[in-house]
Amino acid sequence: MAASSAALSMSKIIKPIWCGRLSTTAKVFGATVSSRREKSTVPPPAKYGGRHTVTLIPGDGIGPELLNHVRELFRFSCVPVDFEVVNVCSATEDDINNAITAIRRNGVALKGNIETLHTLPASHKSRNNLLRTTLDLYANVMHCKSLPGVQTRHNNIDIMIIRENTEGEYSSLEHESVSGVVECLKIITRTNSLRIAEYAFKLAREKGRKRVTAVHKANIMKLGDGLFLQCCREVAAGYPDIAFDAMIVDNTTMQLVSKPQQFDVMVMPNLYGNVVSNVCAGLVGGPGLVPGANYGRDYAVFETATRNTGKSIADRNIANPTAMLLASCMMLDHLK
Amino acid sequence: MASNAWRSMLSHVVGAAKRPTVCSRSVFSRGLQTVTLIPGDGIGPEISVAVMKIFESAKVPIQWEERNVTAIQGPGGRWMIPPDCKESMDRTLIGLKGPLKTPIAAGHPSMNLLLRKTFDLYANVRPCVSIEGYKTPYTDVDLVTIRENTEGEYSGIEHIIVDGVVQSIKLITEDASRRIAEYAFEYARNNQRNSVTAVHKANIMRMSDGLFLRKCREVAESFKDIKFTEMYLDTVCLNMVQDPTQFDVLVMPNLYGDILSDLCAGLIGGLGVTPSGNIGANGVAIFESVHGTAPDIAGLDMANPTALLLSAVMMLRHMGMHDYGKKIETACFDTIRDKQVLTGDLGGKSKCSEFTEEICRRVRDMD
């Protein structure tokens, strides 16, 4: 116990001193030691011989061609990243399990959207959703910024959207109690709401943002969204330097199309996150421009923000690769 | 399948037969149709007066029956609307409502909810048309959102399973989905619209939105002249803010409808200029302005009556009085386009009464 704590403090001292040569050894050593001590630290990155390994899931539609562009660009720029390609076919369970194992192994993934045929029976869950919930990628972060040179109706937009990614309306718990009556459950838990609020405020502080807005519909869903709002308020109390306010989702969409410059950081449950992130992506220029990232405690998966399969424009060489390229840049930032 | 086709044909025939009945009823009762007017709270009374004045100058054959809607507790402790209001609505079948205040912690549910439950107002219709003269970043918007108003995510069924875990139930039923789909297609047909788009999230909520979608598809079979498409909610939102001209009539369950209808209202300039209608079973229809009561400007003659006026125009069209509707709508749009007499929220400095007077003048000049 004493030896490991000494080793831990030693690695903490080595880290600021090194100039990069001892880095890998120290990091692995420090990480191994600390992982033995506390189970909750992040597993070591899959970095062998100075090159990272990243899982690549091409998906359907425009996914494969966009990811090919990313690979080409990486090769051209001599980026020390190797891709482990895992193809996921929508039909079987095995493919998605392989993908999940690969991501657990590598820690980081870059993916295209996997199509969900909603003509299949309800027991066949959405592959993307399955991936997110199994790996507990609880935060979906999207940064919408007006890009210079892109003609849009609104300018100077700079909104960060943090969306709860695992529960809410996407719990896939449905049943037909009586013939002709279907119930779908929306689950909100205190733990997850606190977690996402904590993530949002921490990110806001890191990026030097001034205000966090919680988006909800607590006037109608008093218990569910009420719990979410309460958790946000509790977390906000611990961050007095960041202003906090709440807005109802329909008012939010109305404000977004008239005055989007008023928003800074927004945090919300799953479904509203879907709507708001798509509205914001549309405001800054479309689905081809905005990257998105899904962060969990241990894993990170990067993709385009609006998660479109783009079947209608697949294989025609007209898809905009910007979103996927920016997502790969976010991934490189994450890999440091 | 055959019974569904027969049922929709019957409803179409009944719908077609109903319209001449409405007109003939007005002929029978000495040409005057009675409409229940609920002024509401805050700026409600003054905008109702404005609408009544404009209707008078257009010589619309309507007489108003004013009623108050404040919740009262009936026998057994159940909250309900006053019986005289209910009796009036049951008789006239058409209502025009101003904004209602929902006091917090009053012990009773919101008045809008009570009205909805009492008259089974299952469809909320919001036509969003860009107003010439009121500039927004979006031009040429011309779409209609039809939202299921009774079930879905707003069923209000919530439970705390264990401490810290809340479950909210979204209810989708076959009957309600079929009813709203039928209404949407009938509306499209009666108003010469070309296509109906069902908005859903069936990739995630397979069974519930899947059921809604199936019902829409079935109803679409009986309306072959109207194009039917389906689109995911996120794709609709994405495309709506980039190019709203590609949408025509949108039909969707409750929550998506709430969000999308407010999004579309934002595209044309906000709730102050958006009309709205609620259609119920048994032929009841209540048209309303969806903005708030604005207590800060109540009584100061600063309110903008456009939302209530356009809802009243919707009401005229529903009643078959298309000519009067067109006349008043044109006068209103011309006034806004000229920008001479505009209320504060539209960017001008005139009073509500001046704005109303200008519209009345134009209506009279048109005759």
Side-chain angles (χ1 to χ4, degrees):
Chain A
M1 195 56 86
S4 47
S5 61
L8 187 65
S9 44
M10 194 174 78
S11 65
K12 279 209 181 99
I13 297 167
I14 289 180
K15 273 192 197 139
I17 299 176
W18 87 57
C19 315
R21 249 163 284 163
L22 287 173
S23 62
T24 326
T25 342
K27 218 194 266 185
V28 170
F29 179 62
T32 336
V33 168
S34 50
S35 64
R36 251 184 275 141
R37 261 193 89 220
E38 316 148 87
K39 286 272 158 69
S40 57
T41 42
V42 180
K47 198 171 181 185
Y48 310 108
R51 294 182 68 81
H52 292 271
T53 312
V54 167
T55 311
L56 191 80
I57 302 174
D60 303 310
I62 51 174
E65 57 184 274
L66 292 183
L67 290 169
N68 278 338
H69 292 311
V70 171
R71 270 195 282 194
E72 231 179 87
L73 199 63
F74 275 27
R75 205 172 13 237
F76 186 78
S77 329
C78 305
V79 177
V81 169
D82 289 324
F83 287 108
E84 184 189 340
V85 182
V86 183
N87 280 308
V88 177
C89 162
S90 297
T92 57
E93 277 277 330
D94 295 337
D95 281 349
I96 193 68
N97 287 333
N98 288 341
I100 292 174
T101 321
I103 300 178
R104 280 199 222 267
R105 190 170 45 236
N106 296 323
V108 178
L110 190 61
K111 82 181 247 297
N113 200 38
I114 306 165
E115 191 193 343
T116 309
L117 299 160
H118 53 87
T119 46
L120 293 171
S123 51
H124 179 270
K125 296 197 199 311
S126 155
R127 296 289 176 245
N128 304 301
N129 203 16
L130 203 56
L131 208 122
R132 288 193 291 267
T133 45
T134 324
L135 295 170
D136 200 23
L137 301 168
Y138 64 89
N140 178 301
V141 179
M142 186 175 138
H143 187 185
C144 288
K145 212 167 140 78
S146 290
L147 294 177
V150 178
Q151 275 280 58
T152 52
R153 290 182 174 91
H154 307 270
N155 300 314
N156 298 327
I157 300 176
D158 193 358
I159 307 175
M160 288 206 82
I161 299 173
I162 294 151
R163 160 189 176 188
E164 211 291 327
N165 219 2
T166 51
E167 56 171 23
E169 296 82 349
Y170 287 27
S171 318
S172 303
L173 295 164
E174 295 178 297
H175 48 267
E176 192 163 358
S177 31
V178 176
S179 166
V181 176
V182 175
E183 284 185 355
C184 175
L185 303 179
K186 161 181 163 157
I187 312 282
I188 302 270
T189 55
R190 198 174 156 73
T191 351
N192 287 343
S193 306
L194 282 173
R195 197 166 59 162
I196 193 70
E198 194 60 59
Y199 187 89
F201 276 91
K202 217 186 295 187
L203 192 67
R205 187 175 264 174
E206 254 173 60
K207 305 274 179 188
R209 301 293 205 146
K210 301 285 179 308
R211 208 171 92 228
V212 172
T213 308
V215 178
H216 65 95
K217 191 92 190 145
N219 51 344
I220 305 285
M221 288 183 252
K222 297 187 169 69
L223 290 181
D225 285 351
L227 177 62
F228 179 79
L229 204 54
Q230 195 189 351
C231 294
C232 288
R233 289 212 172 99
E234 279 174 26
V235 174
Y239 290 80
D241 51 326
I242 300 179
F244 171 73
D245 58 352
M247 204 184 257
I248 302 186
V249 60
D250 38 4
N251 191 18
T252 310
T253 45
M254 223 181 326
Q255 298 293 325
L256 274 172
V257 291
S258 40
K259 258 194 328 226
Q261 295 83 5
Q262 59 180 296
F263 294 104
D264 196 357
V265 177
M266 298 165 84
V267 64
M268 59 204 94
N270 218 330
L271 183 69
Y272 313 145
N274 191 348
V275 171
V276 170
S277 57
N278 276 278
V279 170
C280 290
L283 290 174
V284 297
L289 293 178
V290 194
N294 303 291
Y295 294 106
R297 200 195 58 190
D298 304 324
Y299 313 109
V301 174
F302 299 87
E303 54 177 354
T304 61
T306 46
R307 302 173 181 161
N308 301 99
T309 328
K311 274 198 317 288
S312 53
I313 54 171
D315 296 326
R316 281 159 60 187
N317 208 10
I318 54 175
N320 187 343
T322 312
M324 196 58 89
L325 291 172
L326 289 175
S328 56
C329 296
M330 280 177 86
M331 180 189 76
L332 292 175
D333 283 337
H334 180 83
L335 291 172
K336 300 200 216 337
Chain B
M1 203 70 72
S3 65
N4 276 347
W6 181 79
R7 203 181 310 152
S8 59
M9 189 187 74
L10 184 67
S11 65
H12 179 60
V13 165
V14 166
K18 225 194 280 182
R19 263 173 284 121
T21 320
V22 165
C23 296
S24 55
R25 198 201 311 171
S26 67
V27 168
F28 287 150
S29 57
R30 276 171 287 126
L32 272 184
Q33 178 101 36
T34 322
V35 166
T36 310
L37 176 69
I38 301 168
D41 309 305
I43 53 171
E46 39 195 299
I47 54 177
S48 307
V49 160
V51 169
M52 285 200 283
K53 233 189 261 178
I54 295 172
F55 270 45
E56 217 182 286
S57 47
K59 300 203 208 37
V60 182
I62 277 184
Q63 66 185 12
W64 304 97
E65 238 177 59
E66 267 191 55
R67 288 288 178 269
N68 197 3
V69 179
T70 10
I72 58 168
Q73 218 162 9
R78 230 165 37 114
W79 290 100
M80 49 188 234
I81 62 172
D84 59 339
C85 176
K86 182 162 193 321
E87 180 271 333
S88 169
M89 275 301 304
D90 283 339
R91 192 174 12 98
T92 60
L93 294 184
I94 309 275
L96 186 66
K97 175 174 96 54
L100 289 175
K101 183 173 58 179
T102 300
I104 306 172
H108 63 76
S110 87
M111 289 317 303
N112 293 314
L113 189 64
L114 269 181
L115 278 171
R116 209 174 297 148
K117 286 222 147 70
T118 317
F119 298 108
D120 195 17
L121 301 172
Y122 66 91
N124 179 290
V125 182
R126 223 184 259 192
C128 295
V129 182
S130 276
I131 298 181
E132 241 187 285
Y134 188 42
K135 278 269 158 281
T136 58
Y138 300 89
T139 51
D140 300 328
V141 179
D142 186 6
L143 50 92
V144 182
T145 55
I146 298 180
R147 156 194 176 191
E148 208 291 324
N149 222 356
T150 56
E151 54 171 29
E153 296 82 349
Y154 292 8
S155 43
I157 312 171
E158 294 185 292
H159 317 106
I160 300 181
I161 309 185
V162 285
D163 189 28
V165 179
V166 175
Q167 130 189 330
S168 185
I169 295 187
K170 161 179 163 161
L171 207 64
I172 300 274
T173 55
E174 209 176 291
D175 290 333
S177 306
R178 191 180 351 100
R179 195 163 60 162
I180 192 72
E182 270 170 9
Y183 180 76
F185 279 95
E186 264 161 33
Y187 182 91
R189 191 177 265 169
N190 295 341
N191 290 276
Q192 289 87 44
R193 312 292 300 206
N194 301 325
S195 70
V196 171
T197 307
V199 180
H200 64 99
K201 260 217 100 46
N203 52 346
I204 303 289
M205 291 180 252
R206 205 70 62 75
M207 282 173 83
S208 31
D209 282 355
L211 175 62
F212 178 80
L213 211 53
R214 261 201 319 277
K215 289 292 140 208
C216 287
R217 283 190 196 130
E218 278 174 26
V219 172
E221 293 297 312
S222 351
F223 288 83
K224 291 278 195 210
D225 51 329
I226 312 242
K227 191 163 97 109
F228 174 69
T229 43
E230 26 191 88
M231 219 186 232
Y232 287 136
L233 173 67
D234 38 6
T235 317
V236 171
C237 288
L238 194 60
N239 293 339
M240 183 75 78
V241 292
Q242 294 183 283
D243 181 23
T245 56
Q246 56 185 288
F247 295 106
D248 196 354
V249 177
L250 299 162
V251 64
M252 56 211 122
N254 217 331
L255 177 68
Y256 314 151
D258 193 3
I259 301 176
L260 269 183
S261 56
D262 279 359
L263 180 69
C264 298
L267 294 177
I268 61 168
L271 296 178
V273 293
T274 311
S276 171
N278 299 294
I279 312 294
N282 312 319
V284 173
I286 299 185
F287 298 86
E288 60 177 354
S289 57
V290 281
H291 54 74
T293 50
D296 46 338
I297 58 169
L300 299 175
D301 199 17
M302 283 167 60
N304 181 356
T306 309
L308 194 63
L309 187 63
L310 291 178
S311 305
V313 166
M314 244 182 108
M315 178 186 79
L316 288 174
R317 292 211 166 99
H318 179 88
M319 287 158 59
M321 300 187 196
H322 297 276
D323 299 332
Y324 293 108
K326 190 90 193 117
K327 199 163 32 166
I328 297 175
E329 192 187 52
T330 318
C332 181
F333 285 166
D334 284 346
T335 312
I336 297 178
R337 193 190 14 241
D338 273 353
K339 294 199 216 215
Q340 297 296 336
V341 192
L342 289 179
T343 49
D345 59 320
L346 292 174
K349 289 202 255 298
S350 309
K351 292 185 172 304
C352 174
S353 45
E354 289 167 10
F355 183 70
T356 313
E357 189 43 52
E358 178 65 21
I359 300 181
C360 292
R361 188 186 63 82
R362 280 179 197 271
V363 164
R364 280 192 290 266
D365 288 344
M366 268 192 233
D367 284 328

